[in-house]
Amino acid sequence: SYELTQPPSVSVSPGQTASITCSGSKLGERYVSWYQQKPDQSPLLVIYQDIQRPSGIPERMSGSNSGNTATLTISGTQALDEADYYCQTWDTPTVVFGGGTKLTVL
Amino acid sequence: QLQLQEAGPGLVKPSETLSLTCTVSGDSINSSTYYWGWIRQPPGRGLESLGTIYYTGSPYYNPSLKTRVDMSVDTSKKQFSLKLSSVTAADTAIYYCARHIVMAASAIDLWGQGTLVTVSS
């Protein structure tokens, strides 16, 4: 089965850039989505098809995907960005999620 | 307003079958653009997909749960359903229903609020 690997935690200072990685075999050949989940809330789609932002998602959230690694980048990180982030792709016949990364804004 | 709403028992006994239904409101369930799916999240842990189903009724199940999962869709009621058999405490989780975008590697653009299902005698 296909696996996606994320670091358990990432820390960033307010105003700085946070990068959250997601690794998988030849991941660059697949589309990747990213979700933000705050405590006691359902996940929220923030990036799909590697680089696309849904309506309402701020431009400071961006994505990239190449080789074996996809990256979610949050520029000018704010306290409200503190959350768990999950990457996701499709590996027939199922949806695959990474284990999640807790982003802490110190 | 477009939304998904899960419904079902919050407590299921070990070895029994967990049954949940998701109602789609504000949009059609008969769309070739989307799959409909179930995702769960054990307390304090990550996300796991149980499977997806097309409005025509064609399901795709997570291989690790395939022998215990059954999904169906009722387009007349704008509902889709999940059955998970032979449950154990390990199946205790928040269960979300979701809408997946077919052409975007099943990106999930709409989630239900989630329902906590506890497996306990």
Coordinates of all heavy atoms in Angstrom, one line a residue, chain A residues 30-33 35 37 41-45 47-49 84 86 88-90 92-99, chain B residues 35 39 41 45-49 52 60-63 96 100-101 103-109 111-114:
Chain A
R30 N 1.7 12.3 -8.8 CA 0.3 12.3 -8.3 C -0.1 13.7 -7.9 O 0.7 14.5 -7.5 CB 0.2 11.3 -7.1 CG 0.7 9.9 -7.4 CD 0.8 9.1 -6.0 NE 1.4 7.8 -6.2 CZ 0.7 6.7 -6.2 NH1 -0.6 6.7 -6.0 NH2 1.3 5.5 -6.4
Y31 N -1.4 13.9 -7.9 CA -1.9 15.1 -7.3 C -1.9 15.0 -5.8 O -2.3 13.9 -5.3 CB -3.3 15.4 -7.8 CG -3.4 16.1 -9.2 CD1 -4.4 15.8 -10.1 CD2 -2.5 17.1 -9.5 CE1 -4.5 16.4 -11.3 CE2 -2.6 17.8 -10.7 CZ -3.6 17.4 -11.6 OH -3.7 18.0 -12.8
V32 N -1.6 16.1 -5.1 CA -1.6 16.1 -3.7 C -2.6 17.2 -3.2 O -2.6 18.3 -3.8 CB -0.2 16.4 -3.1 CG1 -0.3 16.6 -1.6 CG2 0.7 15.2 -3.4
S33 N -3.3 17.0 -2.1 CA -4.1 18.0 -1.5 C -3.6 18.1 0.0 O -3.0 17.2 0.5 CB -5.6 17.5 -1.4 OG -6.1 17.3 -2.7
Y35 N -4.9 19.7 4.0 CA -6.0 20.0 4.8 C -5.5 20.6 6.1 O -4.5 20.2 6.7 CB -6.9 18.8 5.1 CG -7.4 18.1 3.9 CD1 -6.6 17.1 3.3 CD2 -8.6 18.5 3.3 CE1 -7.0 16.5 2.1 CE2 -9.0 17.8 2.2 CZ -8.2 16.9 1.6 OH -8.7 16.3 0.4
Q37 N -6.7 21.3 10.1 CA -7.7 20.9 11.0 C -7.3 21.6 12.4 O -6.3 21.3 13.0 CB -7.7 19.4 11.2 CG -8.9 19.0 12.1 CD -9.0 17.5 12.3 OE1 -8.0 16.7 12.2 NE2 -10.2 17.0 12.4
Q41 N -12.8 20.7 15.1 CA -13.4 21.1 13.8 C -13.1 20.0 12.8 O -12.2 19.3 12.9 CB -12.8 22.4 13.3 CG -13.1 23.6 14.2 CD -12.6 24.9 13.6 OE1 -12.3 25.0 12.5 NE2 -12.6 26.0 14.5
S42 N -13.9 20.0 11.7 CA -13.7 19.2 10.6 C -12.5 19.7 9.8 O -12.2 20.9 9.8 CB -14.9 19.1 9.7 OG -16.0 18.7 10.4
P43 N -11.8 18.9 9.1 CA -10.7 19.4 8.3 C -11.2 20.4 7.2 O -12.3 20.3 6.8 CB -10.1 18.1 7.6 CG -10.5 17.0 8.6 CD -11.8 17.4 9.1
L44 N -10.3 21.2 6.7 CA -10.6 22.2 5.7 C -9.6 22.1 4.6 O -8.4 22.1 4.8 CB -10.5 23.6 6.3 CG -10.6 24.8 5.4 CD1 -12.1 24.9 4.8 CD2 -10.2 26.1 6.0
L45 N -10.1 22.0 3.4 CA -9.2 21.9 2.2 C -8.5 23.2 2.0 O -9.2 24.3 1.8 CB -10.0 21.5 1.0 CG -9.2 21.4 -0.3 CD1 -8.3 20.2 -0.3 CD2 -10.2 21.2 -1.5
I47 N -5.3 23.3 -0.1 CA -4.6 23.2 -1.4 C -5.1 21.9 -2.0 O -5.2 20.9 -1.4 CB -3.1 23.1 -1.2 CG1 -2.5 24.4 -0.7 CG2 -2.4 22.7 -2.6 CD1 -2.5 25.6 -1.6
Y48 N -5.3 22.0 -3.4 CA -5.7 20.8 -4.1 C -4.9 20.8 -5.5 O -4.5 21.9 -5.9 CB -7.2 20.6 -4.3 CG -7.8 21.6 -5.2 CD1 -8.1 21.3 -6.5 CD2 -8.2 22.9 -4.7 CE1 -8.7 22.2 -7.3 CE2 -8.8 23.8 -5.5 CZ -9.0 23.5 -6.8 OH -9.6 24.4 -7.6
Q49 N -4.8 19.7 -6.1 CA -4.0 19.6 -7.4 C -2.7 20.3 -7.2 O -2.3 21.0 -8.1 CB -4.8 20.1 -8.5 CG -6.0 19.2 -8.9 CD -6.8 19.7 -10.1 OE1 -7.0 20.9 -10.3 NE2 -7.3 18.8 -10.9
D84 N -3.3 21.3 12.9 CA -2.8 20.1 12.3 C -3.0 20.1 10.8 O -4.1 20.6 10.3 CB -3.5 18.8 12.9 CG -3.2 18.6 14.4 OD1 -2.1 19.0 14.8 OD2 -4.1 18.1 15.1
Y86 N -2.7 17.9 7.1 CA -2.6 16.6 6.5 C -2.5 16.7 5.0 O -3.2 17.4 4.4 CB -3.9 15.8 6.8 CG -4.1 15.5 8.3 CD1 -4.8 16.3 9.1 CD2 -3.6 14.3 8.8 CE1 -5.0 16.1 10.4 CE2 -3.8 14.0 10.2 CZ -4.5 14.9 11.0 OH -4.7 14.6 12.3
Q88 N -2.7 14.5 1.3 CA -3.6 13.4 0.8 C -3.4 13.2 -0.6 O -3.2 14.2 -1.4 CB -5.0 13.8 1.2 CG -6.1 12.8 0.6 CD -6.7 13.4 -0.7 OE1 -7.1 14.5 -0.8 NE2 -6.8 12.5 -1.7
T89 N -3.4 12.0 -1.1 CA -3.4 11.7 -2.5 C -4.4 10.5 -2.7 O -5.1 10.0 -1.8 CB -2.0 11.4 -3.0 OG1 -2.1 11.4 -4.5 CG2 -1.4 10.1 -2.5
W90 N -4.4 10.0 -4.0 CA -5.2 8.8 -4.3 C -4.3 7.7 -4.8 O -3.4 8.0 -5.6 CB -6.2 9.2 -5.4 CG -6.9 8.1 -6.1 CD1 -6.6 7.4 -7.2 CD2 -8.1 7.5 -5.6 NE1 -7.5 6.4 -7.4 CE2 -8.5 6.5 -6.5 CE3 -9.0 7.7 -4.5 CZ2 -9.6 5.7 -6.3 CZ3 -10.1 7.0 -4.3 CH2 -10.4 5.9 -5.2
T92 N -5.2 4.0 -6.2 CA -6.3 3.1 -6.5 C -6.3 1.9 -5.6 O -5.3 1.2 -5.6 CB -6.3 2.8 -8.0 OG1 -6.4 4.0 -8.7 CG2 -7.5 1.9 -8.3
P93 N -7.3 1.5 -4.9 CA -8.7 2.1 -5.0 C -9.0 3.0 -3.8 O -10.2 3.1 -3.5 CB -9.6 0.8 -4.9 CG -8.8 0.0 -3.9 CD -7.4 0.3 -4.1
T94 N -8.1 3.7 -3.2 CA -8.4 4.4 -2.0 C -7.7 5.7 -1.8 O -6.6 6.0 -2.5 CB -8.0 3.5 -0.7 OG1 -8.6 4.1 0.4 CG2 -6.5 3.3 -0.6
V95 N -8.3 6.5 -1.0 CA -7.7 7.8 -0.6 C -6.6 7.5 0.5 O -6.8 6.6 1.3 CB -8.8 8.7 0.1 CG1 -8.1 9.9 0.7 CG2 -9.8 9.1 -1.0
V96 N -5.5 8.2 0.4 CA -4.4 8.0 1.3 C -4.1 9.3 2.0 O -3.9 10.3 1.3 CB -3.1 7.5 0.6 CG1 -2.0 7.3 1.6 CG2 -3.4 6.1 -0.1
F97 N -3.9 9.3 3.3 CA -3.6 10.5 4.1 C -2.2 10.3 4.7 O -1.8 9.2 5.0 CB -4.5 10.7 5.2 CG -5.9 11.2 4.8 CD1 -6.9 10.3 4.8 CD2 -6.1 12.5 4.5 CE1 -8.2 10.7 4.4 CE2 -7.4 12.9 4.1 CZ -8.4 12.0 4.1
G98 N -1.5 11.4 4.8 CA -0.3 11.4 5.6 C -0.7 11.4 7.1 O -1.8 11.6 7.4
G99 N 0.3 11.2 8.0 CA 0.0 11.0 9.4 C -0.3 12.3 10.1 O -0.8 12.3 11.2
Chain B
Y35 N -17.1 11.9 -6.0 CA -17.4 10.7 -5.2 C -17.9 11.2 -3.9 O -17.7 12.3 -3.5 CB -16.1 9.9 -5.0 CG -15.4 9.3 -6.2 CD1 -14.1 9.6 -6.5 CD2 -16.1 8.4 -7.0 CE1 -13.5 9.0 -7.5 CE2 -15.4 7.8 -8.0 CZ -14.1 8.1 -8.3 OH -13.5 7.5 -9.4
I39 N -14.6 9.0 6.1 CA -13.3 9.1 6.7 C -13.5 9.1 8.2 O -14.5 9.6 8.7 CB -12.7 10.4 6.3 CG1 -12.4 10.4 4.8 CG2 -11.4 10.7 7.0 CD1 -12.6 11.7 4.1
Q41 N -11.5 9.3 12.3 CA -10.4 9.8 13.0 C -10.5 9.4 14.5 O -11.3 9.9 15.2 CB -10.4 11.4 12.9 CG -9.1 12.0 13.6 CD -9.1 13.5 13.3 OE1 -10.1 14.2 13.2 NE2 -7.9 14.0 13.1
R45 N -5.8 11.1 17.0 CA -5.0 10.5 15.9 C -5.3 11.1 14.6 O -6.1 12.1 14.4 CB -5.2 9.0 16.0 CG -4.8 8.4 17.3 CD -4.9 6.9 17.4 NE -4.0 6.3 16.4 CZ -4.0 5.0 16.1 NH1 -4.8 4.2 16.8 NH2 -3.2 4.5 15.2
G46 N -4.8 10.5 13.5 CA -4.9 11.0 12.2 C -6.1 10.5 11.4 O -7.0 9.8 12.0
L47 N -6.2 10.9 10.2 CA -7.3 10.6 9.3 C -7.1 9.3 8.5 O -6.0 9.0 8.1 CB -7.5 11.7 8.3 CG -7.7 13.1 8.9 CD1 -7.6 14.2 7.8 CD2 -9.1 13.2 9.6
E48 N -8.2 8.5 8.4 CA -8.2 7.3 7.6 C -9.5 7.2 6.7 O -10.6 7.3 7.3 CB -8.1 6.1 8.5 CG -8.2 4.7 7.8 CD -8.2 3.5 8.7 OE1 -8.8 3.6 9.8 OE2 -7.5 2.5 8.4
S49 N -9.3 7.0 5.5 CA -10.4 6.8 4.6 C -10.9 5.4 4.7 O -10.2 4.4 4.6 CB -10.0 7.1 3.1 OG -11.1 6.8 2.2
T52 N -14.9 5.2 -0.8 CA -15.7 6.2 -1.6 C -16.7 5.5 -2.4 O -16.5 4.3 -2.7 CB -14.8 7.1 -2.5 OG1 -14.0 6.2 -3.3 CG2 -13.9 7.9 -1.7
Y60 N -15.4 2.0 -3.9 CA -14.0 1.8 -3.7 C -13.7 1.8 -2.3 O -13.9 2.7 -1.6 CB -13.2 2.9 -4.4 CG -13.4 3.1 -5.9 CD1 -14.4 3.9 -6.4 CD2 -12.7 2.4 -6.8 CE1 -14.7 4.1 -7.7 CE2 -12.9 2.5 -8.2 CZ -13.9 3.4 -8.6 OH -14.1 3.5 -10.0
Y61 N -13.2 0.6 -1.8 CA -13.0 0.4 -0.3 C -11.5 0.5 0.0 O -10.6 0.0 -0.8 CB -13.6 -0.9 0.2 CG -15.1 -1.0 0.0 CD1 -15.7 -2.2 -0.4 CD2 -15.9 0.1 0.2 CE1 -17.1 -2.3 -0.5 CE2 -17.3 0.1 0.0 CZ -17.8 -1.1 -0.3 OH -19.2 -1.3 -0.5
N62 N -11.2 0.9 1.2 CA -9.8 0.8 1.7 C -9.5 -0.7 1.8 O -10.2 -1.4 2.5 CB -9.7 1.5 3.1 CG -8.3 1.6 3.6 OD1 -7.5 0.7 3.4 ND2 -8.0 2.6 4.4
P63 N -8.4 -1.1 1.2 CA -8.1 -2.6 1.2 C -7.9 -3.1 2.7 O -8.3 -4.3 2.9 CB -6.8 -2.7 0.5 CG -6.8 -1.5 -0.5 CD -7.5 -0.4 0.3
Y96 N -16.5 11.0 9.6 CA -16.9 12.1 8.8 C -17.5 11.6 7.4 O -16.8 10.7 6.8 CB -15.8 13.0 8.4 CG -15.1 13.7 9.6 CD1 -13.9 13.2 10.2 CD2 -15.6 14.9 10.1 CE1 -13.3 13.8 11.2 CE2 -15.0 15.6 11.1 CZ -13.9 15.0 11.7 OH -13.2 15.7 12.8
H100 N -15.7 14.1 -2.5 CA -14.4 14.0 -3.1 C -14.5 14.5 -4.6 O -15.4 14.1 -5.3 CB -13.9 12.6 -3.1 CG -13.7 12.0 -1.8 ND1 -12.5 11.7 -1.3 CD2 -14.6 11.5 -0.9 CE1 -12.6 11.1 -0.1 NE2 -13.9 11.0 0.1
I101 N -13.6 15.3 -5.0 CA -13.5 15.7 -6.4 C -12.8 14.7 -7.2 O -11.6 14.4 -7.0 CB -12.8 17.1 -6.5 CG1 -13.4 18.1 -5.6 CG2 -12.8 17.6 -8.0 CD1 -12.5 19.4 -5.5
M103 N -11.7 14.4 -10.3 CA -10.5 14.8 -11.2 C -9.4 15.4 -10.4 O -8.4 15.8 -11.0 CB -11.0 15.7 -12.3 CG -12.0 15.0 -13.3 SD -11.4 13.4 -13.9 CE -10.0 14.0 -14.9
A104 N -9.5 15.5 -9.1 CA -8.4 16.1 -8.3 C -7.9 15.1 -7.3 O -7.6 15.5 -6.2 CB -8.9 17.4 -7.6
A105 N -7.7 13.9 -7.8 CA -7.1 12.8 -6.9 C -8.0 12.7 -5.6 O -7.4 12.5 -4.5 CB -5.7 13.0 -6.5
S106 N -9.3 12.9 -5.8 CA -10.2 12.7 -4.7 C -10.0 13.7 -3.6 O -10.3 13.4 -2.4 CB -10.2 11.3 -4.1 OG -10.8 10.4 -5.1
A107 N -9.6 14.9 -3.9 CA -9.5 16.0 -2.9 C -10.9 16.2 -2.3 O -11.9 16.1 -3.0 CB -9.1 17.3 -3.6
I108 N -11.0 16.5 -1.0 CA -12.2 16.6 -0.3 C -12.6 18.0 -0.1 O -11.9 18.7 0.8 CB -12.1 15.8 1.0 CG1 -11.7 14.4 0.8 CG2 -13.4 15.9 1.8 CD1 -11.1 13.7 2.0
D109 N -13.6 18.5 -0.8 CA -13.9 19.9 -0.7 C -15.0 20.2 0.2 O -15.4 21.4 0.5 CB -14.1 20.5 -2.1 CG -15.4 20.0 -2.7 OD1 -15.9 18.9 -2.3 OD2 -15.9 20.7 -3.6
W111 N -16.9 18.6 4.0 CA -16.9 17.6 5.0 C -18.1 17.8 5.9 O -18.6 18.9 6.0 CB -15.7 17.8 6.0 CG -14.3 17.6 5.4 CD1 -13.7 18.4 4.4 CD2 -13.4 16.6 5.6 NE1 -12.5 18.0 4.1 CE2 -12.3 16.8 4.9 CE3 -13.4 15.5 6.5 CZ2 -11.1 15.9 4.9 CZ3 -12.3 14.6 6.5 CH2 -11.2 14.9 5.7
G112 N -18.6 16.7 6.4 CA -19.7 16.8 7.4 C -19.0 17.3 8.7 O -17.8 17.4 8.8
Q113 N -19.9 17.5 9.7 CA -19.4 18.0 11.0 C -18.7 16.8 11.8 O -18.0 17.1 12.8 CB -20.5 18.6 11.8 CG -21.6 17.6 12.2 CD -22.7 18.3 13.0 OE1 -22.9 19.5 12.9 NE2 -23.3 17.6 13.9
G114 N -19.0 15.6 11.4 CA -18.4 14.4 12.1 C -19.4 14.0 13.2 O -20.1 14.8 13.9

